[in-house]
Amino acid sequence: MKASAFSYARPTTVPNALELLALHGDRAKVLAGGQSLMPAMNLRLISPKLIVDIGAIVELRGISLKGEVLLVGALTRHVDLHNSAEIARYAPLLKEAIAHVAHPAIRNRGTIGGSLAHADPAAELPACMMALGATLLVRGVHGERRIAAEEFFTGIYETLLSPDELLIAVEIPVAQRNSSPFFQEFSRRRGDYAIVGLAAQAVLKNSGFSDLRLAFFSVGNRPHLAKAARQLTNVVVTRSILSDASDLLRQELDPHEDQHATPAMRRYLANLLLRRCVSKLLDRPDLLEEP
Amino acid sequence: MTTTRANSDVLSMLDRPNSYIGKSVPRPNLDRLMQGRGLYVSDMELPRMVHVAFLRSPHAHAKIVKIDAHDAKRMPGVISVVTGEELATVITPWIGVLSHLKGLKSAPQSAIAIDRVCWQGEAVAAVVATSRAAAEDAAENISVEYEALDAVTDVIAALDPETPIIHSSLGDNLAFERNHDAGNVDKAFAQADQVVEAEFVFGRHTGVTLEPRAVVADWNVAEARLTIYQGTQAPHMVQNIAALHLGLTESQVRVVCKDVGGSFGIKVHIYADEMAVYALSKLLRRPVKFVADRVESFNTDIHARDHRCRAKIGVKQDGIITAFEIDDLTGIGPYSMYPRTSAIEANQVVNLVGGPYANSNYRARARVVFQNKNVMCQYRAVGHPIACSITEGLVDLAAMKIGMDPVEIRRRNLIADDGYPCASPSGLRFERLSHHASLNELIAMMDYDGLRAEQAALRAKNIHRGIGIASFIEVTNPSAAFYGVGGAKISSQDGVALRLDAQGSVICQTSITEQGQGSESLTAQIVGSVLGVPMQCVRVIMGDTDNTPYGGGTWASRGAGIGGEAALQAAKILRRNILNVAAAILQSMSADLDIVNAAIVNVSDGALRIELSELARIVYFRPDTLPPGVQPELMATRHFVPREYPFAFTNGIQASWLEVDTDTGFVRLLKHWVVEDCGTIINPQLVDEQIRGGVVQGLGAALFEKCIYDERGQLTNANMADYLVPMPSEMPDIDVGHVVSPTLESELGAKGAGEAGTAGAAAAVSNAVNDALRPFDTIVTEIPLTPRVILAALGRI
Amino acid sequence: MVQMPISFLVNGERVDAVVPARLNLADFLREHLKLTGTHIGCEHGVCGACTVRVDGDIVRSCLILAVQMHDATVETIEGLSDSGEVADLQRAFRERNALQCGFCTPGMLMAAQDLLKHCPVPDRDRIREHLSGNYCRCTGYQAIVDAVETTARMRAP
């Protein structure tokens, strides 16, 4: 399984990279960590004519606190996210999620930008960005744009990124006081893609939620921010209310079928995650049981 | 943790001073493997060597209308593009049948498909180039016109009159059928208090050896000799078959094995693409290298264990089993594999069901059908996992039906430990097994009662743990009854040639082979012990048909029992020869002398008489100083073949302790136990590690592994992300215990141990899951036990 | 065919080469430098047989292009063996028979050494977790976990 031949460029600045992408369009592919791109190329699932290796672009690295947001460079590796004190403090959901991404050797190369741009529906980071209400900073030759995470992912391996654009960084709102993350995924073996997963961020108030973002992944062709969360905010959550939210969730999900699960099973597991999430965040073990 | 209880006296040859028998010594020569300095065939390079990539059919069944390689041939680095027709001038086709499998039929198979492809992944052309990458580039530029044909992809439908016949000359898609009827099954079911029926379904598996299949074939036209470098378990078999199909004599072919990155039976078969590589080398008159990539491996390494079996057990209220009955259906590929055939697995299932139990009423039907899927053949524990899962699953179902504890029902039915020799209703002859002693050892090791109490306590808290027990018997040390009687040129004997060299080192050439199980170590341990020299003095040469005796190789757990016995006998003879020379040199009686620690000593007081190195110096360089007429012989060769028993059966029992998350359907393996009786144990650590590795393959089968074909015959999960092999986080620790019942057929008394772990592991897990799910009144008799299967069984989805 | 010059350190030695862009690091090490201790098992990053160290981190060499290694520091099993860095791990592996066919072993040793650098006294679950991306078909993993555990204990002050 050897990749097809290609030309290789290693720009050192964003403008250089963008020029190359503008020139070559969809005959070029961006190489970041390579942990998703290289398998696809080795399997000859894709055969780009030009690889634009952005690994030398210093501007794309780094995590910094800028007021109320964490600015995370697109080339930040998974391992760096996991070890980062800023992430641990201001976006603990990410730190928890990263432990589920593949294996140590993959996390040493894989990048947040790569994961988001690749947009595997079963990946953890896209859902985390949605749960955190993050904004993706994207640049093309014509300028920069800001895209909300919840709009960025449009389908299987599809995003709003055009072939001549580069994901530069992610802005993550700093976790508020009284905010709590929840992360859980069901995978057949450690490090495997999830059968179903949930990345959630809540703001707690008066034994309830004043804000709740539930981002399910591996539930269809892209991660899904559950509308059902609205049923659970600014109310006293009872078993009945949770049950209604469950029904809504079942309806709004359109899960796919694969070797691991039927759509019914994915709906079932998503619901299980919903109940576990709400029960854990509110410290309400009574909410775990199905009515 | 390992515990051992000896069941008989250890024989004298094994009791010699400084004996290594029964010692967990580290294997020799591991440094190079741990430093990354091994030499696997996939590492090899020869001068002028070229690489081959195969263009493979995307269709499960299609006519090859036209192959246009015009553009491909002109691409950079391309040496040649060869089709099936072109290759057929160099290598003849084969048919995978054996005469003792009555009625087994198959069609001729070519090294590269001619006119028609019969499974998705079958090679339709070979591209030979200066690099694998260049060959793959060229392969993309070959255009093949196919005419798709209906594919047979359902085992049940395969026998429908409406379903197309894959090979019209064969008349139908039934490759083999075997029927067996012993005792009076109908009467036995009528007399039973309960009859339980179930359908057992098994996922198709494959070996996933970490080093894929790799071969370097080197035809030297000036010498008219073909050297095949291949990680095969049976080099003499490959030599024989390569010669036969390439029109060469046996002595024109040399097979060299090198280090092998895992085999488990995958690399004991004859593959069309490997035969193509031998032929390509002959055609191109230069070395040709083929290393299967992972996707190719999934699509073309043999598959196994694709069975559905309706099975029945009759039991009386007092727990006595009255009868077993099975109707097994297995779907192989479009050809029966060569030369061991794709009927052996089903034949073994018929042979082995009910094996541990003292029941004499048994009826079986097994049918093997052709499909347009990858070929199927022997993979570790051949047929045993199926037979054991069926048998042990039925026994547990019977126990549940009559309200008896699963250990108790086994106590009442396992063949008594003093009931040997005896035969099973399927005709298997058992020399001596230890089912009850093994069961007792297991119960003690696992603290069965303690686990039952823990299970009950946790059940009250809605935590569902289960215990599963699985008894098994396992075929080892096969005689010619396995293959030879059917006409296969597969040797059932092995040989060891042993010599003392001039400086006192011992060179040992053995016909068994090494894939990591410890063949080298067991051989050196036996030779060192019997001869009386430190292991470090013994250099073992294996895996080279030019430089070893003729033999069967390592498969069906025969290396220790057969190759080990040959080593023991050769060492005895060499020892005798050395002592005869020593007696002549020392003017003593050879009976008064012994060899200890590489020196001749007095038996009486252990006093050193002469070092072996000094004796060797005299023999090789100063024979003029020997007494007149003395002709020393410091080399000895002995072969061994099992004659009395067709197979040396071993027995064992396994237990699984696991937890089923009834919310998610996930199974967590908490612990596993094995008690194994494989006769004399040469190296306890190596035996235990074989068992552990075998168990984990069985655990993979139980929970994870399945080759998933769609209805068009496409293998949909041909990569390591989608075919799930067991990885470290999900596997439990495994405790191993032993009972020792040596075979009297050899002086060594060793039976085999390589496959026992795989035979019973999945059965234990299945039984444990069903045990855990008792409160939910649901039974699952299919593997893999995925979360989806369990949630469906629980009615959650 | 595009050929590119690269220069980097492999096991402490400067290596200069001209390679096609598509050549991955595993193939470069094996075919150009004849360092065949790094093995190829899947070429899609799942099995761990190709694990090497780049700039101190374990990585899948089948998922890295050789041309990306310009100015990098690469260490393979041969280098770790010759420097003695994993000598105690190797001793423990031998004693415990934590290898059978040996094909996964270079990658396992790399991953185990990486674990012990970051977590000097791991429990068995932690060991299994860190090795969760390294496939072994022969051992069933228990002996490997034992050997790593033993080594950790012996390294502890």
Side-chain angles (χ1 to χ4, degrees), chain B residues 401-420:
Chain B
K401 208 62 194 253
I402 61 173
M404 184 173 284
D405 174 84
V407 171
E408 185 56 33
I409 195 174
R410 286 169 172 85
R411 286 202 198 286
R412 295 186 187 198
N413 286 282
L414 288 169
I415 300 170
D417 286 356
D418 62 0
Y420 299 95

Side-chain angles (χ1 to χ4, degrees), chain B residues 513-597:
Chain B
T513 54
E514 172 84 66
Q515 294 83 41
Q517 64 275 82
S519 304
E520 179 181 359
S521 187
L522 74 90
T523 303
Q525 284 178 249
I526 292 170
V527 168
S529 303
V530 174
L531 196 55
V533 304
M535 251 176 93
Q536 300 82 273
C537 299
V538 181
R539 179 168 138 71
V540 180
I541 297 169
M542 300 177 292
D544 183 344
T545 55
D546 264 9
N547 286 303
T548 65
Y550 198 94
T554 299
W555 41 273
S557 305
R558 62 193 299 285
I562 299 177
E565 180 66 10
L568 184 151
Q569 295 301 331
K572 274 177 74 174
I573 301 303
L574 181 58
R575 178 177 170 276
R576 183 197 68 193
N577 292 356
I578 290 172
L579 290 180
N580 286 344
V581 174
I585 293 173
L586 301 169
Q587 304 284 294
S588 292
M589 305 285 285
S590 62
D592 298 334
L593 301 170
D594 196 0
I595 309 173
V596 176
N597 206 26

Side-chain angles (χ1 to χ4, degrees), chain B residues 427-642:
Chain B
L428 305 176
R429 288 175 50 218
F430 303 131
E431 180 189 1
R432 186 164 134 208
L433 303 177
S434 60
H435 288 297
H436 289 270
S438 299
L439 173 57
N440 291 335
E441 180 71 18
L442 178 75
I443 297 308
M445 274 172 72
M446 67 190 284
D447 184 16
Y448 183 78
D449 292 339
L451 289 179
R452 281 290 178 212
E454 194 180 328
Q455 177 185 45
L458 289 172
R459 228 168 222 165
K461 299 191 206 159
N462 205 34
I463 294 172
H464 299 280
R465 294 194 175 175
I467 302 170
I469 309 274
S471 283
F472 61 93
I473 53 173
E474 172 70 48
V475 158
T476 74
N477 297 357
S479 67
F482 224 173
Y483 294 115
V485 298
K489 303 292 192 290
I490 296 169
S491 189
S492 51
Q493 56 82 59
D494 277 281
V496 167
L498 209 54
R499 68 174 196 265
L500 184 69
D501 264 3
Q503 289 182 1
S505 55
V506 177
I507 308 299
C508 173
Q509 297 161 294
T510 173
S511 57
I512 63 171
T513 54
E514 172 84 66
Q515 294 83 41
Q517 64 275 82
S519 304
E520 179 181 359
S521 187
L522 74 90
T523 303
Q525 284 178 249
I526 292 170
V527 168
S529 303
V530 174
L531 196 55
V533 304
M535 251 176 93
Q536 300 82 273
C537 299
V538 181
R539 179 168 138 71
V540 180
I541 297 169
M542 300 177 292
D544 183 344
T545 55
D546 264 9
N547 286 303
T548 65
Y550 198 94
T554 299
W555 41 273
S557 305
R558 62 193 299 285
I562 299 177
E565 180 66 10
L568 184 151
Q569 295 301 331
K572 274 177 74 174
I573 301 303
L574 181 58
R575 178 177 170 276
R576 183 197 68 193
N577 292 356
I578 290 172
L579 290 180
N580 286 344
V581 174
I585 293 173
L586 301 169
Q587 304 284 294
S588 292
M589 305 285 285
S590 62
D592 298 334
L593 301 170
D594 196 0
I595 309 173
V596 176
N597 206 26
I600 307 292
V601 304
N602 288 338
V603 171
S604 56
D605 60 6
L608 178 82
R609 300 294 303 277
I610 183 172
E611 298 277 356
L612 270 190
S613 52
E614 175 63 10
L615 181 146
R617 184 193 70 80
I618 294 169
V619 163
Y620 288 116
F621 304 123
R622 297 306 311 274
D624 55 299
T625 64
L626 291 171
V630 173
Q631 287 282 350
E633 179 56 72
L634 296 189
M635 186 162 182
T637 300
R638 278 297 179 273
H639 289 73
F640 177 71
V641 61

Side-chain angles (χ1 to χ4, degrees), chain A residues 183-224:
Chain A
F183 185 90
Q184 190 167 122
E185 68 172 52
F186 301 122
S187 64
R188 298 289 297 279
R189 304 167 304 178
R190 178 167 205 100
D192 282 349
Y193 278 116
I195 301 177
V196 174
L198 172 60
Q201 183 83 341
V203 180
L204 301 163
K205 185 174 167 181
N206 300 333
S207 308
F209 299 116
S210 61
D211 189 42
L212 180 63
R213 297 174 71 84
L214 302 167
F216 289 90
F217 53 100
S218 197
V219 288
N221 64 359
R222 53 185 166 149
H224 179 82

Side-chain angles (χ1 to χ4, degrees), chain C residues 31-86:
Chain C
E31 289 164 20
H32 288 243
L33 301 184
K34 315 300 180 192
L35 290 169
T36 55
T38 300
H39 296 144
I40 292 181
C42 75
E43 295 180 296
H44 46 284
V46 180
C47 74
C50 71
T51 305
V52 298
R53 258 197 334 223
V54 172
D55 298 334
D57 293 326
I58 52 167
V59 296
R60 309 287 206 224
S61 60
C62 71
L63 299 186
I64 297 183
L65 300 173
V67 293
Q68 287 183 282
M69 292 295 92
H70 194 62
D71 286 340
T73 298
V74 176
E75 297 165 285
T76 70
I77 186 62
E78 292 92 340
L80 266 68
S81 299
D82 292 347
S83 71
E85 187 182 335
V86 289

Side-chain angles (χ1 to χ4, degrees), chain B residues 153-157 198-204 305-311 326-331 345-346 349 365-369 371 373 376 386 390 706 781-783:
Chain B
T153 60
D154 180 273
V155 280
I156 298 169
E199 184 176 36
F200 293 85
V201 179
F202 302 89
R204 206 178 227 242
R305 320 217 214 284
D306 190 351
H307 287 251
R308 9 182 18 108
C309 183
R310 290 217 58 82
I326 63 161
D327 187 358
D328 183 58
L329 183 60
T330 182
E345 185 180 281
V349 174
R365 175 171 80 155
R367 288 174 300 166
V368 178
V369 298
Q371 296 179 103
K373 293 181 187 173
M376 228 170 84
I386 310 292
I390 292 167
K706 184 170 174 178
T781 52
E782 102 172 70
I783 57 166

